[in-house]
């Protein structure tokens, strides 16, 4: 059974980890991190990730960085999180590039630097990281760290939206509703808002409700508008 398989895996990973194999240290750490066949133990996960990270294992560097970022199993430390993300990002790990970019974007653990954030987001976006595509799209839309470019924002939001990222579906819908970087298209805006609204995105629920309210891109339907406004309000969206 599954529990038996986890038990066998733990035994093998422990033997290999004790012999200093970084991948085994990482895998055993992941079992403790995610409670896979062992009781969840963030401190033990962090200890094992550190052993692998010290050997240059990129996924362990990222996971340990994430634990410092969130304060799981270690004291929260944004500077240490950024340091570890940087080590993994330099090895080409897209998730690390995205998270380090996000820290530069917000100025967490590093000085705020939109240009550095955009550069890291682009590295991750080119590897297909949907969150990086969406964040870089927003930077192009706002002209933060990169030249303002609605067409590039549309391209990036489209890539992320096609991967099912609700934030990107909403943002792309907004561009179609406004006609920014694309011809104004209320039908396409409604389609994109609906995709995100189905995944409980409150902004998209409100935006789609407004289109039903106004009869733009969809048949006017006050009952459907009210239902969507209510859903958005129940998630704390104030305007609804």
């Amino acid at each position: 059974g599954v529990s038996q398989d986890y038990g066998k895996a733990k035994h093998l990973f422990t033997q290999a980890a004790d012999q200093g194999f970084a991948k085994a240290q990482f895998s055993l750490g992941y079992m403790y991190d995610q409670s896979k066949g062992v009781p969840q133990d963030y401190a033990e996960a962090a200890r094992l990730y550190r052993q692998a990270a010290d050997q240059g294992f990129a996924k362990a560097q990222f996971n340990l960085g994430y634990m410092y970022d969130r304060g799981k199993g270690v004291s929260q430390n944004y500077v240490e999180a950024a340091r570890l993300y940087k080590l993994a990002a330099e090895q080409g790990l897209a998730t690390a590039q995205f998270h380090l970019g996000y820290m530069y974007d917000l100025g967490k653990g590093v000085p705020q630097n939109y240009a550095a954030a955009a550069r890291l987001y682009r590295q991750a976006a080119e590897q297909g990281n949907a969150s990086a595509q969406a964040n870089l799209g927003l930077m192009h839309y706002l002209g933060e760290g990169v030249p303002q470019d609605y067409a590039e924002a549309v391209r990036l939001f489209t890539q992320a939206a096609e991967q099912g990222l609700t934030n990107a579906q909403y943002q792309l819908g907004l561009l179609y509703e406004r006609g920014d970087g694309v011809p104004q298209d209320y039908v396409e805006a409604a389609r994109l808002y609906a995709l995100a609204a189905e995944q409980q995105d409150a902004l998209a629920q409100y935006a789609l409700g407004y289109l039903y309210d106004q009869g733009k891109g969809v048949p006017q339907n006050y009952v459907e508008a009210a239902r969507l406004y209510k859903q958005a309000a129940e998630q704390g969206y104030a305007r609804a």
Side-chain angles (χ1 to χ4, degrees):
V2 173
S3 61
Q4 192 176 358
D5 290 343
Y6 279 132
K8 189 176 180 183
K10 179 179 182 285
H11 177 69
L12 292 168
F13 287 147
T14 301
Q15 282 188 323
D18 288 345
Q19 290 177 49
F21 288 101
K23 190 169 185 179
Q25 291 162 344
F26 166 77
S27 298
L28 188 58
Y30 187 78
M31 289 180 77
Y32 280 107
D33 191 355
Q34 300 295 317
S35 188
K36 301 280 189 187
V38 291
Q40 195 164 49
D41 186 338
Y42 292 133
E44 182 63 4
R47 186 184 72 81
L48 286 155
Y49 285 155
R50 182 172 281 103
Q51 290 180 353
D54 287 346
Q55 295 192 64
F57 197 77
K59 287 182 179 177
Q61 291 166 341
F62 169 74
N63 283 21
L64 183 59
Y66 189 79
M67 296 188 92
Y68 275 107
D69 199 347
R70 295 289 186 268
K72 285 166 62 174
V74 289
S75 298
Q76 192 171 49
N77 185 332
Y78 294 136
V79 173
E80 183 64 5
R83 185 187 74 82
L84 287 155
Y85 286 158
K86 185 172 186 285
L87 291 173
E90 286 170 349
Q91 294 194 63
L93 196 69
T95 49
Q97 291 164 346
F98 166 73
H99 277 82
L100 182 59
Y102 190 65
M103 296 191 92
Y104 275 111
D105 203 346
L106 298 183
K108 275 173 62 176
V110 287
Q112 191 171 48
N113 185 330
Y114 290 137
R119 179 178 57 79
L120 286 153
Y121 285 155
R122 190 171 306 283
Q123 289 174 0
E126 286 170 356
Q127 293 192 66
N129 185 289
S131 296
Q133 290 164 347
N135 284 20
L136 184 59
L138 189 59
M139 295 187 92
H140 275 291
Y141 183 71
L142 298 172
E144 285 184 347
V146 288
Q148 191 170 46
D149 185 340
Y150 289 155
E152 181 64 0
V154 169
R155 187 184 74 81
L156 287 157
F157 284 143
T158 301
Q159 287 181 345
E162 285 172 352
Q163 292 194 63
L165 194 72
T166 55
N167 178 45
Q169 291 165 343
Y170 166 73
Q171 294 286 356
L172 187 58
L174 202 59
L175 296 188
Y176 275 104
E177 185 181 347
R178 292 176 175 172
D180 286 342
V182 286
Q184 193 171 46
D185 186 339
Y186 291 125
V187 174
E188 182 62 5
R191 185 187 74 81
L192 287 156
Y193 288 153
L195 290 173
E198 284 166 10
Q199 295 186 70
Q200 305 309 308
D201 185 285
L203 292 170
Q205 288 166 343
Y206 181 85
L208 183 58
Y210 181 77
L211 292 183
Y212 273 108
D213 203 348
Q214 300 295 308
K216 289 180 172 179
V218 287
Q220 192 166 46
N221 186 330
Y222 295 130
V223 174
E224 183 64 6
R227 186 185 72 82
L228 286 156
Y229 286 154
K230 185 170 182 284
Q231 283 185 345
E234 284 170 354
Q235 293 194 70
Y237 185 63
R239 279 177 66 185

